[in-house]
Coordinates of all heavy atoms in Angstrom, one line a residue:
G92 N 68.3 -56.1 -110.7 CA 68.7 -55.2 -111.7 C 67.6 -54.9 -112.7 O 67.8 -54.0 -113.5
K93 N 66.5 -55.7 -112.7 CA 65.5 -55.4 -113.6 C 64.5 -54.4 -113.2 O 63.7 -53.9 -114.0 CB 64.7 -56.7 -113.9 CG 65.6 -57.8 -114.6 CD 64.9 -59.1 -114.8 CE 65.8 -60.1 -115.5 NZ 65.1 -61.4 -115.7
H94 N 64.5 -54.1 -111.9 CA 63.5 -53.1 -111.4 C 63.9 -51.7 -111.6 O 65.1 -51.4 -111.6 CB 63.3 -53.4 -109.9 CG 62.7 -54.7 -109.5 ND1 61.4 -55.0 -109.7 CD2 63.3 -55.8 -109.1 CE1 61.2 -56.2 -109.3 NE2 62.3 -56.8 -109.0
T95 N 62.9 -50.8 -111.8 CA 63.2 -49.4 -111.9 C 62.2 -48.7 -111.0 O 61.2 -49.2 -110.7 CB 63.1 -48.9 -113.4 OG1 61.7 -49.1 -113.8 CG2 64.1 -49.6 -114.3
G96 N 62.6 -47.4 -110.7 CA 61.7 -46.6 -109.8 C 61.6 -47.1 -108.4 O 60.6 -46.9 -107.7
C97 N 62.6 -47.8 -107.9 CA 62.6 -48.4 -106.6 C 63.8 -47.9 -105.8 O 64.8 -47.4 -106.3 CB 62.7 -49.9 -106.7 SG 61.4 -50.8 -107.5
V98 N 63.6 -47.9 -104.5 CA 64.7 -47.6 -103.6 C 65.1 -48.9 -102.9 O 64.3 -49.6 -102.3 CB 64.3 -46.6 -102.5 CG1 65.4 -46.4 -101.5 CG2 63.9 -45.3 -103.2
F99 N 66.4 -49.2 -103.0 CA 66.9 -50.4 -102.3 C 67.9 -50.0 -101.3 O 68.8 -49.2 -101.6 CB 67.6 -51.3 -103.3 CG 66.7 -52.0 -104.3 CD1 66.6 -51.4 -105.6 CD2 66.0 -53.1 -104.0 CE1 65.8 -52.0 -106.5 CE2 65.2 -53.7 -105.0 CZ 65.1 -53.1 -106.2
A100 N 67.8 -50.5 -100.1 CA 68.8 -50.3 -99.0 C 69.6 -51.6 -98.9 O 69.0 -52.6 -98.4 CB 68.1 -49.9 -97.7
V101 N 70.8 -51.5 -99.4 CA 71.6 -52.7 -99.4 C 72.6 -52.7 -98.2 O 73.0 -51.6 -97.8 CB 72.3 -53.0 -100.7 CG1 71.3 -53.2 -101.8 CG2 73.3 -51.9 -101.0
G102 N 72.9 -53.8 -97.7 CA 73.9 -53.9 -96.7 C 75.3 -53.7 -97.2 O 75.5 -53.8 -98.4
G103 N 76.2 -53.3 -96.4 CA 77.6 -53.0 -96.8 C 78.3 -54.2 -97.5 O 79.1 -54.0 -98.4
V104 N 77.9 -55.4 -97.1 CA 78.6 -56.6 -97.7 C 78.2 -56.7 -99.2 O 79.0 -57.3 -100.0 CB 78.3 -57.9 -96.9 CG1 76.8 -58.3 -97.1 CG2 79.2 -59.0 -97.3
S105 N 77.1 -56.2 -99.6 CA 76.6 -56.2 -101.0 C 77.6 -55.5 -101.9 O 77.8 -55.9 -103.1 CB 75.3 -55.6 -101.2 OG 74.3 -56.2 -100.4
T106 N 78.3 -54.6 -101.4 CA 79.3 -53.8 -102.2 C 80.6 -54.5 -102.3 O 81.5 -54.0 -103.1 CB 79.5 -52.4 -101.7 OG1 80.1 -52.4 -100.4 CG2 78.1 -51.7 -101.6
M107 N 80.9 -55.5 -101.5 CA 82.2 -56.1 -101.5 C 82.4 -57.1 -102.6 O 83.5 -57.4 -103.0 CB 82.4 -56.9 -100.2 CG 82.3 -56.0 -98.9 SD 83.6 -54.6 -99.0 CE 85.0 -55.5 -98.7
N108 N 81.3 -57.5 -103.3 CA 81.4 -58.4 -104.4 C 81.3 -57.5 -105.7 O 80.3 -56.8 -105.9 CB 80.2 -59.4 -104.3 CG 80.2 -60.3 -105.5 OD1 80.1 -59.9 -106.6 ND2 80.3 -61.6 -105.2
E109 N 82.2 -57.6 -106.6 CA 82.3 -56.8 -107.8 C 81.1 -57.0 -108.7 O 80.5 -56.1 -109.2 CB 83.6 -57.0 -108.6 CG 83.7 -56.1 -109.7 CD 83.7 -54.6 -109.4 OE1 84.2 -54.3 -108.3 OE2 83.2 -53.9 -110.2
K110 N 80.6 -58.3 -108.8 CA 79.5 -58.6 -109.6 C 78.2 -57.9 -109.0 O 77.4 -57.3 -109.8 CB 79.2 -60.1 -109.6 CG 78.3 -60.5 -110.7 CD 79.1 -60.5 -112.0 CE 78.4 -61.5 -113.0 NZ 78.9 -61.3 -114.3
N111 N 78.0 -57.9 -107.7 CA 76.9 -57.2 -107.1 C 77.0 -55.7 -107.4 O 76.0 -55.1 -107.7 CB 76.9 -57.4 -105.6 CG 76.5 -58.8 -105.2 OD1 76.0 -59.6 -105.9 ND2 76.8 -59.1 -103.9
S112 N 78.2 -55.2 -107.3 CA 78.3 -53.7 -107.5 C 78.0 -53.4 -108.9 O 77.3 -52.4 -109.2 CB 79.8 -53.3 -107.2 OG 80.1 -53.5 -105.9
Q113 N 78.3 -54.2 -109.9 CA 78.0 -54.0 -111.3 C 76.5 -54.0 -111.5 O 75.9 -53.1 -112.2 CB 78.7 -55.0 -112.2 CG 80.1 -54.9 -112.3 CD 80.8 -56.0 -113.0 OE1 80.1 -57.0 -113.5 NE2 82.1 -56.0 -113.2
F114 N 75.8 -55.0 -110.9 CA 74.4 -55.0 -111.0 C 73.7 -53.8 -110.4 O 72.7 -53.3 -110.9 CB 73.8 -56.3 -110.4 CG 74.1 -57.6 -111.2 CD1 74.6 -58.7 -110.6 CD2 73.9 -57.6 -112.6 CE1 74.8 -59.8 -111.3 CE2 74.2 -58.7 -113.4 CZ 74.6 -59.9 -112.7
L115 N 74.2 -53.4 -109.2 CA 73.6 -52.2 -108.6 C 73.7 -51.0 -109.5 O 72.8 -50.2 -109.6 CB 74.3 -52.0 -107.2 CG 73.9 -53.0 -106.1 CD1 74.9 -52.8 -104.9 CD2 72.5 -52.8 -105.7
R116 N 74.9 -50.8 -110.1 CA 75.1 -49.7 -110.9 C 74.4 -49.7 -112.3 O 74.2 -48.6 -112.9 CB 76.6 -49.5 -111.2 CG 77.4 -49.1 -109.9 CD 78.8 -48.8 -110.1 NE 79.0 -47.7 -111.1 CZ 78.8 -46.4 -110.8 NH1 78.3 -46.0 -109.6 NH2 78.9 -45.4 -111.7
M117 N 74.0 -50.8 -112.7 CA 73.3 -51.0 -114.0 C 72.1 -50.1 -114.1 O 71.9 -49.4 -115.1 CB 72.9 -52.4 -114.3 CG 74.0 -53.2 -114.9 SD 73.6 -55.0 -115.2 CE 71.9 -55.0 -115.4
N118 N 71.3 -50.1 -113.1 CA 70.0 -49.4 -113.1 C 69.8 -48.4 -112.0 O 68.7 -48.1 -111.7 CB 68.8 -50.4 -113.1 CG 68.7 -51.2 -114.4 OD1 69.0 -50.6 -115.5 ND2 68.3 -52.4 -114.3
G119 N 70.9 -48.1 -111.4 CA 70.6 -47.3 -110.2 C 71.6 -46.1 -110.0 O 72.6 -46.0 -110.6
W120 N 71.1 -45.2 -109.1 CA 71.9 -44.1 -108.6 C 72.3 -44.5 -107.2 O 71.4 -44.7 -106.4 CB 71.0 -42.9 -108.6 CG 71.6 -41.6 -108.0 CD1 71.5 -41.2 -106.7 CD2 72.4 -40.7 -108.6 NE1 72.1 -40.1 -106.5 CE2 72.8 -39.7 -107.7 CE3 73.0 -40.6 -109.9 CZ2 73.6 -38.6 -108.0 CZ3 73.8 -39.5 -110.2 CH2 74.1 -38.5 -109.3
L121 N 73.6 -44.7 -107.0 CA 74.0 -45.2 -105.7 C 74.5 -44.1 -104.8 O 75.3 -43.3 -105.1 CB 75.2 -46.2 -105.9 CG 74.9 -47.4 -106.8 CD1 76.1 -48.3 -106.9 CD2 73.7 -48.2 -106.3
V122 N 73.9 -44.1 -103.6 CA 74.1 -43.1 -102.6 C 74.7 -43.7 -101.4 O 74.2 -44.7 -100.8 CB 72.8 -42.3 -102.2 CG1 73.1 -41.3 -101.2 CG2 72.2 -41.7 -103.4
F123 N 75.9 -43.2 -101.0 CA 76.5 -43.6 -99.7 C 76.0 -42.7 -98.6 O 76.3 -41.5 -98.6 CB 78.0 -43.6 -99.9 CG 78.8 -43.8 -98.6 CD1 78.4 -44.6 -97.6 CD2 80.1 -43.2 -98.5 CE1 79.1 -44.8 -96.4 CE2 80.8 -43.4 -97.4 CZ 80.4 -44.1 -96.3
L124 N 75.3 -43.2 -97.7 CA 74.8 -42.5 -96.6 C 75.8 -42.5 -95.5 O 76.0 -43.5 -94.8 CB 73.4 -43.0 -96.0 CG 72.3 -43.0 -97.0 CD1 71.1 -43.7 -96.5 CD2 72.0 -41.6 -97.5
K125 N 76.6 -41.5 -95.3 CA 77.7 -41.4 -94.4 C 77.2 -40.9 -93.1 O 76.5 -39.9 -93.0 CB 78.8 -40.5 -95.0 CG 80.1 -40.6 -94.2 CD 81.2 -39.8 -94.9 CE 82.5 -39.9 -94.2 NZ 83.5 -39.2 -94.9
R126 N 77.6 -41.6 -92.0 CA 77.1 -41.3 -90.7 C 78.2 -41.6 -89.7 O 79.0 -42.6 -89.9 CB 75.9 -42.2 -90.5 CG 75.1 -41.9 -89.4 CD 73.9 -42.7 -89.4 NE 73.2 -42.2 -88.2 CZ 72.0 -41.7 -88.2 NH1 71.3 -41.6 -89.3 NH2 71.6 -41.2 -87.1
P127 N 78.4 -40.8 -88.6 CA 79.4 -41.2 -87.6 C 79.1 -42.6 -87.1 O 78.0 -42.9 -86.8 CB 79.2 -40.1 -86.6 CG 78.6 -39.0 -87.3 CD 77.7 -39.6 -88.3
L128 N 80.2 -43.3 -86.9 CA 80.0 -44.7 -86.4 C 79.4 -44.7 -85.0 O 78.6 -45.7 -84.7 CB 81.4 -45.4 -86.3 CG 82.0 -45.7 -87.7 CD1 83.3 -46.4 -87.5 CD2 81.1 -46.4 -88.6
G129 N 79.6 -43.7 -84.2 CA 79.0 -43.7 -82.9 C 77.5 -43.6 -82.9 O 76.8 -43.9 -81.9
D130 N 77.0 -43.1 -84.0 CA 75.5 -43.0 -84.2 C 74.8 -44.3 -84.7 O 73.6 -44.3 -84.7 CB 75.2 -41.9 -85.2 CG 75.5 -40.5 -84.7 OD1 75.9 -40.4 -83.5 OD2 75.4 -39.5 -85.5
L131 N 75.7 -45.2 -85.1 CA 75.1 -46.5 -85.6 C 74.8 -47.4 -84.5 O 75.5 -47.4 -83.4 CB 76.1 -47.1 -86.6 CG 76.4 -46.4 -87.8 CD1 77.5 -47.1 -88.6 CD2 75.2 -46.0 -88.6
E132 N 73.8 -48.2 -84.7 CA 73.4 -49.2 -83.7 C 74.3 -50.4 -83.8 O 74.5 -51.0 -84.9 CB 71.9 -49.6 -84.0 CG 71.2 -50.2 -82.8 CD 69.8 -50.4 -83.1 OE1 69.0 -49.4 -83.4 OE2 69.4 -51.6 -83.1
M133 N 74.9 -50.8 -82.7 CA 75.7 -52.0 -82.8 C 75.0 -53.3 -82.4 O 73.9 -53.2 -81.8 CB 76.9 -51.8 -81.8 CG 77.9 -50.9 -82.4 SD 79.4 -50.7 -81.3 CE 78.7 -49.7 -80.0
A134 N 75.5 -54.4 -82.7 CA 75.0 -55.7 -82.5 C 73.6 -55.8 -83.1 O 73.5 -55.8 -84.3 CB 74.9 -56.0 -81.0
N135 N 72.6 -55.9 -82.3 CA 71.2 -56.0 -82.8 C 71.1 -57.1 -83.9 O 70.6 -56.9 -85.0 CB 70.7 -54.7 -83.4 CG 69.2 -54.7 -83.6 OD1 68.5 -55.5 -83.0 ND2 68.7 -53.7 -84.3
G136 N 71.7 -58.3 -83.6 CA 71.6 -59.4 -84.5 C 72.7 -59.4 -85.6 O 72.7 -60.2 -86.5
R137 N 73.6 -58.4 -85.5 CA 74.7 -58.4 -86.5 C 76.0 -58.8 -85.8 O 76.6 -58.1 -85.1 CB 74.8 -56.9 -87.0 CG 73.6 -56.5 -87.7 CD 73.8 -55.1 -88.3 NE 72.8 -54.8 -89.3 CZ 71.9 -53.8 -89.2 NH1 72.0 -53.0 -88.2 NH2 71.0 -53.6 -90.1
P138 N 76.4 -60.0 -86.1 CA 77.5 -60.6 -85.5 C 78.8 -59.9 -85.8 O 79.8 -60.0 -85.0 CB 77.6 -62.1 -85.9 CG 76.8 -62.1 -87.2 CD 75.8 -61.0 -87.1
L139 N 78.9 -59.2 -86.9 CA 80.2 -58.5 -87.2 C 80.4 -57.2 -86.6 O 81.4 -56.5 -86.7 CB 80.3 -58.4 -88.8 CG 80.3 -59.7 -89.6 CD1 80.4 -59.4 -91.1 CD2 81.5 -60.5 -89.1
S140 N 79.3 -56.7 -85.9 CA 79.5 -55.3 -85.3 C 79.0 -55.4 -83.8 O 78.2 -54.6 -83.4 CB 78.7 -54.3 -86.1 OG 77.3 -54.7 -86.1
Q141 N 79.5 -56.3 -83.1 CA 79.2 -56.4 -81.7 C 79.8 -55.3 -80.8 O 79.3 -54.9 -79.8 CB 79.6 -57.8 -81.1 CG 79.0 -59.0 -81.8 CD 77.5 -59.1 -81.4 OE1 77.2 -59.0 -80.2 NE2 76.6 -59.3 -82.3
T142 N 81.0 -54.8 -81.2 CA 81.7 -53.8 -80.5 C 82.0 -52.6 -81.4 O 82.1 -52.8 -82.6 CB 83.0 -54.3 -79.8 OG1 83.9 -54.6 -80.9 CG2 82.7 -55.5 -79.0
I143 N 82.3 -51.5 -80.9 CA 82.7 -50.3 -81.7 C 84.0 -50.6 -82.4 O 84.2 -50.2 -83.6 CB 82.9 -49.0 -80.8 CG1 83.0 -47.8 -81.8 CG2 84.0 -49.1 -79.9 CD1 81.8 -47.4 -82.6
E144 N 84.9 -51.4 -81.8 CA 86.2 -51.8 -82.5 C 85.9 -52.6 -83.8 O 86.5 -52.4 -84.8 CB 87.1 -52.5 -81.6 CG 87.6 -51.7 -80.4 CD 86.7 -51.4 -79.3 OE1 85.7 -52.2 -79.1 OE2 86.9 -50.5 -78.5
Q145 N 84.9 -53.6 -83.6 CA 84.6 -54.4 -84.8 C 83.9 -53.6 -85.9 O 84.2 -53.8 -87.0 CB 83.6 -55.5 -84.4 CG 84.3 -56.6 -83.6 CD 83.3 -57.6 -83.1 OE1 82.2 -57.3 -82.5 NE2 83.6 -58.9 -83.3
L146 N 83.1 -52.7 -85.4 CA 82.4 -51.8 -86.4 C 83.4 -50.9 -87.1 O 83.3 -50.7 -88.3 CB 81.4 -50.9 -85.7 CG 80.4 -50.1 -86.5 CD1 79.6 -51.0 -87.5 CD2 79.5 -49.3 -85.6
E147 N 84.4 -50.3 -86.4 CA 85.4 -49.5 -87.0 C 86.2 -50.3 -88.0 O 86.5 -49.8 -89.1 CB 86.3 -48.9 -86.0 CG 85.7 -47.8 -85.2 CD 86.5 -47.4 -84.0 OE1 87.5 -48.0 -83.6 OE2 86.1 -46.3 -83.4
A148 N 86.6 -51.5 -87.7 CA 87.4 -52.4 -88.6 C 86.6 -52.7 -89.9 O 87.1 -52.6 -91.0 CB 87.8 -53.6 -87.9
L149 N 85.3 -53.0 -89.7 CA 84.5 -53.3 -90.8 C 84.3 -52.1 -91.7 O 84.4 -52.2 -93.0 CB 83.1 -53.8 -90.3 CG 82.2 -54.5 -91.2 CD1 82.8 -55.7 -91.8 CD2 80.9 -54.8 -90.4
Y150 N 84.1 -50.9 -91.1 CA 84.0 -49.7 -91.9 C 85.2 -49.4 -92.7 O 85.2 -49.1 -93.9 CB 83.6 -48.6 -90.9 CG 83.5 -47.2 -91.6 CD1 82.3 -46.9 -92.3 CD2 84.5 -46.3 -91.5 CE1 82.1 -45.7 -92.9 CE2 84.3 -45.0 -92.1 CZ 83.2 -44.7 -92.8 OH 83.0 -43.5 -93.4
E151 N 86.4 -49.5 -92.1 CA 87.6 -49.2 -92.8 C 87.9 -50.2 -93.9 O 88.4 -49.8 -95.0 CB 88.8 -49.3 -91.8 CG 88.9 -48.2 -90.8 CD 89.0 -46.8 -91.4 OE1 89.7 -46.7 -92.4 OE2 88.3 -45.9 -91.0
K152 N 87.4 -51.4 -93.8 CA 87.6 -52.4 -94.8 C 86.6 -52.1 -96.0 O 87.0 -52.2 -97.2 CB 87.2 -53.8 -94.3 CG 87.4 -54.9 -95.3 CD 87.1 -56.2 -94.6 CE 87.1 -57.4 -95.7 NZ 86.8 -58.6 -95.1
R153 N 85.4 -51.6 -95.7 CA 84.4 -51.4 -96.7 C 84.4 -50.0 -97.3 O 83.9 -49.8 -98.5 CB 83.0 -51.7 -96.1 CG 82.8 -53.2 -95.8 CD 81.5 -53.4 -95.2 NE 81.2 -54.8 -94.9 CZ 80.1 -55.2 -94.3 NH1 79.2 -54.4 -93.9 NH2 80.0 -56.5 -94.1
L154 N 84.9 -49.0 -96.6 CA 84.9 -47.7 -97.1 C 85.4 -47.5 -98.5 O 84.8 -46.8 -99.3 CB 85.6 -46.7 -96.1 CG 85.6 -45.3 -96.5 CD1 84.2 -44.7 -96.5 CD2 86.5 -44.5 -95.4
P155 N 86.5 -48.0 -98.9 CA 87.0 -47.8 -100.3 C 86.0 -48.3 -101.3 O 85.8 -47.6 -102.4 CB 88.3 -48.7 -100.4 CG 88.8 -48.7 -98.9 CD 87.5 -48.8 -98.1
N156 N 85.3 -49.4 -101.1 CA 84.3 -49.8 -102.0 C 83.1 -48.9 -102.0 O 82.5 -48.6 -103.1 CB 83.8 -51.2 -101.6 CG 84.8 -52.3 -102.1 OD1 85.6 -52.0 -102.9 ND2 84.7 -53.4 -101.4
Y157 N 82.6 -48.4 -100.9 CA 81.5 -47.5 -100.8 C 81.9 -46.2 -101.7 O 81.1 -45.8 -102.5 CB 81.3 -47.0 -99.4 CG 80.8 -48.0 -98.4 CD1 81.0 -47.7 -97.0 CD2 80.3 -49.2 -98.8 CE1 80.5 -48.6 -96.1 CE2 79.8 -50.1 -97.8 CZ 80.0 -49.8 -96.5 OH 79.6 -50.7 -95.5
Q158 N 83.1 -45.7 -101.5 CA 83.5 -44.5 -102.2 C 83.7 -44.8 -103.7 O 83.4 -43.9 -104.5 CB 84.8 -44.0 -101.6 CG 84.6 -43.5 -100.2 CD 85.9 -43.1 -99.5 OE1 86.9 -43.8 -99.7 NE2 85.9 -42.1 -98.7
R159 N 84.1 -45.9 -104.1 CA 84.4 -46.3 -105.5 C 83.1 -46.4 -106.3 O 83.0 -46.0 -107.4 CB 85.2 -47.6 -105.5 CG 85.5 -48.1 -106.9 CD 86.3 -49.3 -106.9 NE 85.7 -50.4 -106.2 CZ 84.7 -51.2 -106.7 NH1 84.3 -51.0 -107.9 NH2 84.2 -52.2 -106.0
I160 N 82.1 -47.0 -105.7 CA 80.9 -47.3 -106.5 C 79.8 -46.3 -106.4 O 78.9 -46.3 -107.2 CB 80.3 -48.7 -106.2 CG1 79.7 -48.8 -104.8 CG2 81.4 -49.8 -106.4 CD1 78.8 -50.0 -104.6
C161 N 79.8 -45.4 -105.4 CA 78.7 -44.5 -105.2 C 78.7 -43.3 -106.2 O 79.8 -43.0 -106.7 CB 78.7 -44.0 -103.8 SG 79.9 -42.7 -103.4
D162 N 77.6 -42.9 -106.5 CA 77.4 -41.7 -107.4 C 77.4 -40.4 -106.5 O 77.6 -39.3 -107.0 CB 76.1 -41.8 -108.2 CG 76.1 -42.9 -109.1 OD1 77.0 -42.9 -110.0 OD2 75.3 -43.9 -109.0
Q163 N 77.0 -40.6 -105.3 CA 76.8 -39.5 -104.4 C 77.1 -39.9 -102.9 O 76.7 -41.0 -102.5 CB 75.4 -38.9 -104.5 CG 75.1 -37.8 -103.6 CD 73.6 -37.4 -103.7 OE1 72.8 -38.1 -104.3 NE2 73.3 -36.3 -103.1
T164 N 77.7 -39.1 -102.2 CA 77.9 -39.3 -100.7 C 77.1 -38.2 -100.0 O 77.2 -37.0 -100.3 CB 79.4 -39.2 -100.3 OG1 80.1 -40.2 -101.0 CG2 79.5 -39.4 -98.8
V165 N 76.3 -38.6 -99.0 CA 75.5 -37.7 -98.3 C 75.7 -37.9 -96.8 O 75.7 -39.0 -96.3 CB 74.0 -37.9 -98.6 CG1 73.1 -37.1 -97.7 CG2 73.6 -37.7 -100.0
D166 N 76.0 -36.7 -96.2 CA 76.1 -36.7 -94.7 C 74.7 -37.0 -94.1 O 73.8 -36.2 -94.3 CB 76.7 -35.4 -94.3 CG 76.7 -35.2 -92.8 OD1 77.1 -36.2 -92.1 OD2 76.4 -34.2 -92.3
N167 N 74.6 -38.1 -93.4 CA 73.3 -38.5 -92.9 C 73.1 -38.2 -91.4 O 72.9 -39.1 -90.6 CB 73.1 -40.0 -93.2 CG 71.7 -40.5 -92.9 OD1 70.8 -39.7 -92.8 ND2 71.6 -41.8 -92.8
T168 N 73.3 -37.0 -91.1 CA 73.2 -36.6 -89.7 C 72.2 -35.5 -89.4 O 72.0 -35.1 -88.3 CB 74.6 -36.1 -89.2 OG1 75.0 -34.9 -90.0 CG2 75.7 -37.2 -89.2
R169 N 71.5 -35.1 -90.4 CA 70.6 -33.9 -90.3 C 69.1 -34.3 -90.3 O 68.3 -33.5 -90.6 CB 70.9 -32.9 -91.3 CG 72.3 -32.3 -91.2 CD 72.5 -31.2 -92.1 NE 73.9 -30.7 -92.0 CZ 74.4 -29.9 -92.8 NH1 73.8 -29.5 -93.9 NH2 75.7 -29.5 -92.6
G170 N 68.8 -35.5 -90.2 CA 67.4 -36.0 -90.2 C 67.0 -36.5 -91.6 O 67.6 -36.2 -92.6
Q171 N 66.0 -37.3 -91.6 CA 65.6 -38.0 -92.8 C 65.1 -37.0 -93.9 O 65.5 -37.2 -95.0 CB 64.4 -38.9 -92.4 CG 63.9 -39.7 -93.6 CD 62.8 -40.7 -93.2 OE1 62.3 -40.7 -92.1 NE2 62.4 -41.5 -94.1
S172 N 64.3 -36.0 -93.6 CA 63.9 -35.1 -94.6 C 65.0 -34.3 -95.3 O 65.0 -34.2 -96.5 CB 62.9 -34.1 -94.0 OG 61.7 -34.7 -93.6
E173 N 66.0 -33.8 -94.5 CA 67.1 -33.1 -95.1 C 67.9 -34.0 -95.9 O 68.4 -33.7 -97.0 CB 67.9 -32.5 -94.0 CG 69.2 -31.8 -94.5 CD 69.0 -30.7 -95.4 OE1 67.9 -30.0 -95.4 OE2 69.9 -30.4 -96.2
T174 N 68.2 -35.3 -95.5 CA 69.0 -36.2 -96.2 C 68.3 -36.5 -97.6 O 68.9 -36.5 -98.6 CB 69.1 -37.5 -95.4 OG1 69.8 -37.2 -94.2 CG2 70.0 -38.5 -96.2
V175 N 67.0 -36.8 -97.6 CA 66.3 -37.1 -98.8 C 66.3 -35.9 -99.7 O 66.5 -36.0 -100.9 CB 64.8 -37.5 -98.5 CG1 64.0 -37.6 -99.8 CG2 64.8 -38.9 -97.8
S176 N 66.1 -34.7 -99.2 CA 66.2 -33.5 -100.0 C 67.5 -33.3 -100.7 O 67.6 -32.9 -101.9 CB 65.9 -32.2 -99.2 OG 64.5 -32.3 -98.7
R177 N 68.6 -33.6 -100.0 CA 69.9 -33.4 -100.6 C 70.1 -34.4 -101.7 O 70.7 -34.1 -102.7 CB 71.0 -33.6 -99.5 CG 70.9 -32.4 -98.5 CD 71.9 -32.6 -97.4 NE 73.2 -32.3 -97.9 CZ 74.3 -32.7 -97.2 NH1 74.2 -33.2 -96.1 NH2 75.5 -32.5 -97.8
I178 N 69.7 -35.7 -101.5 CA 69.8 -36.7 -102.5 C 69.0 -36.3 -103.8 O 69.5 -36.3 -104.9 CB 69.3 -38.1 -102.0 CG1 70.2 -38.6 -100.9 CG2 69.2 -39.1 -103.1 CD1 69.7 -39.8 -100.1
I179 N 67.8 -35.8 -103.6 CA 67.0 -35.4 -104.7 C 67.6 -34.3 -105.5 O 67.6 -34.3 -106.7 CB 65.5 -35.2 -104.3 CG1 64.9 -36.5 -103.8 CG2 64.7 -34.5 -105.4 CD1 63.5 -36.3 -103.1
R180 N 68.1 -33.3 -104.8 CA 68.7 -32.1 -105.4 C 69.8 -32.5 -106.3 O 70.0 -32.1 -107.4 CB 69.1 -31.1 -104.4 CG 68.0 -30.2 -103.9 CD 68.5 -29.0 -103.1 NE 69.5 -29.3 -102.0 CZ 69.1 -29.5 -100.8 NH1 67.9 -29.5 -100.4 NH2 70.1 -29.8 -99.9
E181 N 70.7 -33.4 -105.8 CA 71.8 -33.9 -106.5 C 71.4 -34.7 -107.7 O 72.0 -34.6 -108.8 CB 72.8 -34.6 -105.6 CG 74.1 -35.0 -106.3 CD 75.0 -33.9 -106.6 OE1 74.9 -32.8 -106.0 OE2 75.7 -34.0 -107.6
W182 N 70.4 -35.6 -107.5 CA 70.0 -36.4 -108.6 C 69.4 -35.6 -109.7 O 69.5 -36.0 -110.9 CB 69.0 -37.4 -108.0 CG 68.5 -38.4 -109.0 CD1 69.2 -39.4 -109.6 CD2 67.2 -38.5 -109.6 NE1 68.3 -40.1 -110.5 CE2 67.1 -39.5 -110.5 CE3 66.0 -37.7 -109.4 CZ2 66.0 -39.9 -111.2 CZ3 64.9 -38.0 -110.1 CH2 64.9 -39.1 -111.0
E183 N 68.7 -34.6 -109.4 CA 68.0 -33.7 -110.4 C 69.0 -32.9 -111.3 O 68.7 -32.4 -112.4 CB 67.0 -32.8 -109.8 CG 65.8 -33.5 -109.3 CD 64.8 -32.7 -108.6 OE1 65.2 -31.6 -108.1 OE2 63.6 -33.1 -108.5
K184 N 70.3 -32.8 -110.8 CA 71.3 -32.1 -111.6 C 71.6 -32.9 -112.8 O 72.0 -32.9 -113.7 CB 72.6 -31.9 -110.8 CG 72.4 -30.9 -109.7 CD 73.7 -30.7 -109.0 CE 73.6 -29.8 -107.8 NZ 74.9 -29.7 -107.0

């Protein structure tokens, strides 16, 4: 929470703890990068998302927190440059 001018990519579990959410919001603009679950990589060392069913259940559990704490939701399906541009445009408002 003491750093400024940084980008942090936090895992979804970070938002499940209210204290973590408060610290994230203290100095940050929180962006929920929304992406179809089928586009996400499963497993890859992540024991909670070994199957699409596990991933869907995890997403449904975490989605309310993502929506509650974020300042902006961005559809993350159009490539990195477009996603970053949309975030910056909204942040500059």
